[in-house]
Amino acid sequence: MTYTEMQDLLMRELRLYHYPIAVKFFYDQEAVDAFKAAADEYVVPVKPMTFCQWEIAARMKGQVVYSEKEGLGCSNAHYSFGWKPFDEGEVKSHAKYTRDLEQAERFVRSKARMPEGMIGIAVAPLAKADLFGGPDTVHFYCDNMQAYHLAVDYMAAMDAHPLRPAITMNSSACGGNVWTYVNKDFNMLPACSGSYNAGKTERGEINVIIPGEAIGAVCDRLVERIEKLGSSSITRPGDGFPGADVCKNCPLIVFKKA
């Protein structure tokens, strides 16, 4: 499938509210130049913003966003992306979450970080991932049952079980994508305080992040289930809605042809 076909499939069959976000981490200037030449239109931050605010444009408006270090206004994301070294300021920014500064330092040091030398980052709807040669990660903002369907299809497609997502303090969108990139594995985590406010994550939404190299296999598995069972639904095979909230043996919620 093309990335456009993958996006159409996921939006239609999982009833996604937001576009899946293709995330690209650039380490090569020639790749950056090629992306800019291929993109008919891309936007850049007018002033420094958070990474999860960049993603708003991709997942809600379908825009392609590109930025380098200067367009990022979040110290936690700077640290996760390898754009700033460990320092006391980063420890103090986590003090409100931890028992003491010693614990805050250990927690900050335990976060996944991108290798140093990254030039810039692009976020875009999955359908536009060809602009930069495919995604490094694919980030979904979705509800509980959509997340469950993605997790089940990932486990089956990649023969991986059980999954062990990584939740870190104060870095769900940025740190969550970094963890998936570094570990080449599925991640599922709630919004952090920053991505809840700045990134406009709804209370009922959860983050699912899949390695870019695995998204094709996950979509193939979704198609396989649909062909075998008649629909994308795991909770009620054959039902057109993934996550229909009807008890398996309920004798009341039943319909017949008029």
Side-chain angles (χ1 to χ4, degrees), residues 102-141:
E102 185 276 331
Q103 187 182 66
E105 178 175 343
R106 285 191 290 107
F107 284 12
V108 170
R109 289 188 182 277
S110 67
K111 288 188 178 186
R113 298 188 71 207
M114 294 293 291
E116 293 185 5
M118 183 165 61
I119 298 171
I121 303 171
V123 296
L126 180 60
K128 298 181 179 180
D130 278 325
L131 292 174
F132 37 71
D136 288 320
T137 61
V138 181
H139 186 177
F140 297 81
Y141 285 77

Short mmCIF file of all heavy atoms in Angstrom, two decimals, residues 102-141:
data_model
loop_
_atom_site.label_atom_id
_atom_site.label_comp_id
_atom_site.label_asym_id
_atom_site.label_seq_id
_atom_site.Cartn_x
_atom_site.Cartn_y
_atom_site.Cartn_z
N GLU A 102 17.15 14.54 43.77
CA GLU A 102 17.95 13.36 43.44
C GLU A 102 17.14 12.41 42.56
O GLU A 102 17.66 11.87 41.57
CB GLU A 102 18.39 12.66 44.73
CG GLU A 102 19.33 11.47 44.51
CD GLU A 102 18.61 10.17 44.21
OE1 GLU A 102 17.47 10.02 44.68
OE2 GLU A 102 19.17 9.31 43.50
N GLN A 103 15.88 12.22 42.93
CA GLN A 103 15.02 11.37 42.11
C GLN A 103 14.77 12.00 40.75
O GLN A 103 14.78 11.32 39.71
CB GLN A 103 13.69 11.11 42.82
CG GLN A 103 12.81 10.10 42.10
CD GLN A 103 11.48 9.89 42.79
OE1 GLN A 103 10.65 10.80 42.86
NE2 GLN A 103 11.27 8.68 43.31
N ALA A 104 14.57 13.31 40.73
CA ALA A 104 14.35 14.02 39.46
C ALA A 104 15.52 13.83 38.52
O ALA A 104 15.35 13.59 37.32
CB ALA A 104 14.10 15.51 39.73
N GLU A 105 16.74 13.91 39.06
CA GLU A 105 17.93 13.73 38.22
C GLU A 105 17.99 12.33 37.64
O GLU A 105 18.27 12.14 36.45
CB GLU A 105 19.20 14.01 39.02
CG GLU A 105 20.47 13.79 38.21
CD GLU A 105 21.74 14.18 38.95
OE1 GLU A 105 21.64 14.91 39.96
OE2 GLU A 105 22.83 13.76 38.51
N ARG A 106 17.71 11.31 38.45
CA ARG A 106 17.72 9.93 37.95
C ARG A 106 16.68 9.72 36.87
O ARG A 106 16.93 9.04 35.87
CB ARG A 106 17.49 8.95 39.11
CG ARG A 106 18.69 8.76 40.01
CD ARG A 106 18.49 7.59 40.96
NE ARG A 106 17.49 7.86 42.00
CZ ARG A 106 16.29 7.31 42.03
NH1 ARG A 106 15.90 6.46 41.08
NH2 ARG A 106 15.44 7.59 43.01
N PHE A 107 15.51 10.31 37.06
CA PHE A 107 14.43 10.13 36.09
C PHE A 107 14.77 10.82 34.77
O PHE A 107 14.52 10.27 33.70
CB PHE A 107 13.12 10.68 36.66
CG PHE A 107 12.48 9.78 37.69
CD1 PHE A 107 13.17 8.71 38.24
CD2 PHE A 107 11.19 10.02 38.13
CE1 PHE A 107 12.58 7.88 39.20
CE2 PHE A 107 10.59 9.22 39.07
CZ PHE A 107 11.28 8.14 39.61
N VAL A 108 15.33 12.02 34.84
CA VAL A 108 15.69 12.73 33.61
C VAL A 108 16.77 11.96 32.86
O VAL A 108 16.69 11.77 31.64
CB VAL A 108 16.18 14.16 33.93
CG1 VAL A 108 16.80 14.80 32.68
CG2 VAL A 108 15.03 15.02 34.43
N ARG A 109 17.77 11.46 33.57
CA ARG A 109 18.86 10.73 32.93
C ARG A 109 18.39 9.41 32.31
O ARG A 109 19.05 8.88 31.40
CB ARG A 109 19.98 10.46 33.94
CG ARG A 109 20.78 11.70 34.35
CD ARG A 109 21.97 11.33 35.20
NE ARG A 109 22.73 12.48 35.66
CZ ARG A 109 23.66 13.12 34.96
NH1 ARG A 109 23.94 12.71 33.72
NH2 ARG A 109 24.32 14.15 35.45
N SER A 110 17.28 8.89 32.79
CA SER A 110 16.80 7.60 32.28
C SER A 110 15.94 7.75 31.02
O SER A 110 15.53 6.74 30.44
CB SER A 110 15.99 6.88 33.37
OG SER A 110 14.78 7.57 33.64
N LYS A 111 15.67 8.97 30.59
CA LYS A 111 14.85 9.16 29.40
C LYS A 111 15.62 8.79 28.14
O LYS A 111 16.85 8.96 28.05
CB LYS A 111 14.42 10.63 29.28
CG LYS A 111 13.37 11.06 30.29
CD LYS A 111 12.88 12.45 29.97
CE LYS A 111 11.79 12.90 30.93
NZ LYS A 111 11.21 14.20 30.55
N ALA A 112 14.89 8.28 27.15
CA ALA A 112 15.51 8.02 25.84
C ALA A 112 15.84 9.35 25.18
O ALA A 112 15.09 10.33 25.31
CB ALA A 112 14.54 7.23 24.96
N ARG A 113 16.97 9.37 24.47
CA ARG A 113 17.39 10.60 23.78
C ARG A 113 17.81 10.26 22.36
O ARG A 113 18.35 9.19 22.09
CB ARG A 113 18.54 11.28 24.51
CG ARG A 113 18.23 11.74 25.91
CD ARG A 113 19.39 12.57 26.46
NE ARG A 113 19.46 13.86 25.80
CZ ARG A 113 20.58 14.58 25.66
NH1 ARG A 113 21.74 14.10 26.07
NH2 ARG A 113 20.54 15.76 25.07
N MET A 114 17.55 11.20 21.44
CA MET A 114 18.00 11.03 20.08
C MET A 114 19.52 11.15 20.02
O MET A 114 20.13 11.87 20.81
CB MET A 114 17.38 12.10 19.17
CG MET A 114 15.88 12.00 19.02
SD MET A 114 15.35 10.53 18.13
CE MET A 114 15.94 10.90 16.47
N PRO A 115 20.14 10.44 19.08
CA PRO A 115 21.58 10.65 18.88
C PRO A 115 21.84 12.11 18.52
O PRO A 115 21.02 12.76 17.87
CB PRO A 115 21.91 9.72 17.70
CG PRO A 115 20.81 8.72 17.69
CD PRO A 115 19.58 9.42 18.17
N GLU A 116 22.96 12.63 18.96
CA GLU A 116 23.29 14.02 18.68
C GLU A 116 23.53 14.22 17.19
O GLU A 116 23.89 13.29 16.47
CB GLU A 116 24.51 14.45 19.49
CG GLU A 116 24.26 14.50 20.99
CD GLU A 116 25.44 15.05 21.75
OE1 GLU A 116 26.42 15.48 21.10
OE2 GLU A 116 25.39 15.05 22.99
N GLY A 117 23.32 15.44 16.75
CA GLY A 117 23.57 15.79 15.35
C GLY A 117 22.34 15.93 14.49
O GLY A 117 22.45 16.14 13.29
N MET A 118 21.14 15.84 15.11
CA MET A 118 19.93 15.98 14.31
C MET A 118 19.80 17.41 13.80
O MET A 118 20.00 18.38 14.54
CB MET A 118 18.69 15.60 15.13
CG MET A 118 17.40 15.66 14.35
SD MET A 118 16.02 14.83 15.16
CE MET A 118 15.89 15.79 16.68
N ILE A 119 19.42 17.53 12.52
CA ILE A 119 19.30 18.84 11.88
C ILE A 119 17.91 19.43 12.09
O ILE A 119 17.75 20.60 12.44
CB ILE A 119 19.60 18.74 10.37
CG1 ILE A 119 21.03 18.28 10.16
CG2 ILE A 119 19.35 20.09 9.68
CD1 ILE A 119 21.35 17.95 8.71
N GLY A 120 16.87 18.65 11.83
CA GLY A 120 15.51 19.15 11.92
C GLY A 120 14.51 18.01 11.96
O GLY A 120 14.87 16.83 11.86
N ILE A 121 13.25 18.38 12.12
CA ILE A 121 12.15 17.41 12.24
C ILE A 121 11.00 17.86 11.35
O ILE A 121 10.67 19.04 11.29
CB ILE A 121 11.66 17.31 13.69
CG1 ILE A 121 12.81 16.93 14.63
CG2 ILE A 121 10.52 16.31 13.81
CD1 ILE A 121 12.45 17.03 16.11
N ALA A 122 10.38 16.90 10.67
CA ALA A 122 9.15 17.16 9.93
C ALA A 122 8.04 16.31 10.51
O ALA A 122 8.26 15.15 10.88
CB ALA A 122 9.33 16.84 8.45
N VAL A 123 6.85 16.89 10.62
CA VAL A 123 5.65 16.14 10.98
C VAL A 123 4.61 16.41 9.92
O VAL A 123 4.46 17.54 9.44
CB VAL A 123 5.12 16.51 12.39
CG1 VAL A 123 6.13 16.12 13.46
CG2 VAL A 123 4.80 17.99 12.49
N ALA A 124 3.88 15.37 9.52
CA ALA A 124 2.93 15.49 8.41
C ALA A 124 1.88 14.40 8.53
O ALA A 124 2.09 13.39 9.21
CB ALA A 124 3.67 15.36 7.08
N PRO A 125 0.74 14.57 7.87
CA PRO A 125 -0.19 13.45 7.78
C PRO A 125 0.50 12.28 7.11
O PRO A 125 1.35 12.46 6.23
CB PRO A 125 -1.32 14.00 6.91
CG PRO A 125 -1.18 15.47 6.94
CD PRO A 125 0.27 15.75 7.14
N LEU A 126 0.15 11.07 7.50
CA LEU A 126 0.80 9.88 6.96
C LEU A 126 0.76 9.85 5.44
O LEU A 126 1.71 9.39 4.79
CB LEU A 126 0.14 8.63 7.53
CG LEU A 126 0.70 7.28 7.08
CD1 LEU A 126 2.17 7.13 7.46
CD2 LEU A 126 -0.12 6.14 7.68
N ALA A 127 -0.32 10.36 4.84
CA ALA A 127 -0.47 10.33 3.39
C ALA A 127 0.64 11.10 2.68
O ALA A 127 0.90 10.86 1.49
CB ALA A 127 -1.83 10.90 2.99
N LYS A 128 1.29 12.01 3.38
CA LYS A 128 2.33 12.84 2.76
C LYS A 128 3.74 12.40 3.15
O LYS A 128 4.71 13.13 2.93
CB LYS A 128 2.11 14.30 3.13
CG LYS A 128 0.78 14.85 2.63
CD LYS A 128 0.58 16.32 2.97
CE LYS A 128 -0.76 16.85 2.44
NZ LYS A 128 -0.97 18.28 2.77
N ALA A 129 3.87 11.20 3.70
CA ALA A 129 5.17 10.72 4.17
C ALA A 129 6.18 10.50 3.05
O ALA A 129 7.38 10.45 3.30
CB ALA A 129 5.01 9.44 4.99
N ASP A 130 5.71 10.34 1.81
CA ASP A 130 6.64 10.18 0.69
C ASP A 130 7.51 11.41 0.49
O ASP A 130 8.57 11.32 -0.14
CB ASP A 130 5.87 9.88 -0.60
CG ASP A 130 5.49 8.40 -0.71
OD1 ASP A 130 6.28 7.56 -0.26
OD2 ASP A 130 4.40 8.11 -1.24
N LEU A 131 7.07 12.55 0.99
CA LEU A 131 7.85 13.78 0.84
C LEU A 131 9.24 13.65 1.45
O LEU A 131 10.18 14.30 1.00
CB LEU A 131 7.12 14.96 1.49
CG LEU A 131 5.83 15.43 0.82
CD1 LEU A 131 5.16 16.51 1.67
CD2 LEU A 131 6.14 15.99 -0.58
N PHE A 132 9.36 12.81 2.49
CA PHE A 132 10.67 12.63 3.12
C PHE A 132 11.09 11.17 3.16
O PHE A 132 11.83 10.75 4.04
CB PHE A 132 10.70 13.25 4.52
CG PHE A 132 9.42 13.11 5.31
CD1 PHE A 132 9.02 11.89 5.81
CD2 PHE A 132 8.65 14.22 5.56
CE1 PHE A 132 7.87 11.77 6.55
CE2 PHE A 132 7.48 14.12 6.30
CZ PHE A 132 7.09 12.89 6.81
N GLY A 133 10.61 10.40 2.20
CA GLY A 133 11.08 9.03 2.07
C GLY A 133 10.52 8.06 3.08
O GLY A 133 11.12 7.01 3.34
N GLY A 134 9.38 8.38 3.67
CA GLY A 134 8.76 7.51 4.66
C GLY A 134 9.03 7.97 6.07
O GLY A 134 10.02 8.67 6.33
N PRO A 135 8.17 7.59 7.01
CA PRO A 135 8.30 8.07 8.40
C PRO A 135 9.29 7.25 9.23
O PRO A 135 9.50 6.07 8.98
CB PRO A 135 6.88 7.89 8.94
CG PRO A 135 6.36 6.69 8.21
CD PRO A 135 6.98 6.75 6.82
N ASP A 136 9.88 7.92 10.20
CA ASP A 136 10.66 7.21 11.21
C ASP A 136 9.74 6.64 12.28
O ASP A 136 9.99 5.55 12.81
CB ASP A 136 11.69 8.14 11.85
CG ASP A 136 12.82 8.48 10.90
OD1 ASP A 136 13.28 7.59 10.17
OD2 ASP A 136 13.26 9.65 10.90
N THR A 137 8.70 7.39 12.61
CA THR A 137 7.67 6.92 13.53
C THR A 137 6.32 7.39 13.01
O THR A 137 6.24 8.35 12.24
CB THR A 137 7.86 7.46 14.97
OG1 THR A 137 7.80 8.89 14.94
CG2 THR A 137 9.20 7.02 15.54
N VAL A 138 5.25 6.71 13.44
CA VAL A 138 3.88 7.14 13.12
C VAL A 138 3.15 7.29 14.44
O VAL A 138 3.05 6.34 15.23
CB VAL A 138 3.16 6.13 12.21
CG1 VAL A 138 1.74 6.62 11.90
CG2 VAL A 138 3.94 5.90 10.93
N HIS A 139 2.63 8.49 14.68
CA HIS A 139 2.05 8.86 15.96
C HIS A 139 0.53 9.02 15.81
O HIS A 139 0.07 9.80 14.99
CB HIS A 139 2.68 10.16 16.44
CG HIS A 139 2.27 10.58 17.81
ND1 HIS A 139 2.80 11.70 18.42
CD2 HIS A 139 1.38 10.07 18.70
CE1 HIS A 139 2.25 11.84 19.62
NE2 HIS A 139 1.39 10.86 19.81
N PHE A 140 -0.22 8.27 16.61
CA PHE A 140 -1.68 8.34 16.60
C PHE A 140 -2.17 8.99 17.90
O PHE A 140 -1.74 8.62 18.99
CB PHE A 140 -2.31 6.94 16.54
CG PHE A 140 -2.01 6.16 15.30
CD1 PHE A 140 -0.81 5.47 15.15
CD2 PHE A 140 -2.94 6.09 14.26
CE1 PHE A 140 -0.54 4.73 14.02
CE2 PHE A 140 -2.68 5.35 13.12
CZ PHE A 140 -1.47 4.67 12.99
N TYR A 141 -3.06 9.96 17.78
CA TYR A 141 -3.84 10.44 18.91
C TYR A 141 -5.20 9.77 18.78
O TYR A 141 -5.96 10.09 17.86
CB TYR A 141 -4.00 11.96 18.86
CG TYR A 141 -2.75 12.75 19.24
CD1 TYR A 141 -1.70 12.90 18.35
CD2 TYR A 141 -2.64 13.36 20.49
CE1 TYR A 141 -0.57 13.63 18.69
CE2 TYR A 141 -1.52 14.10 20.83
CZ TYR A 141 -0.49 14.22 19.93
OH TYR A 141 0.63 14.95 20.27
#
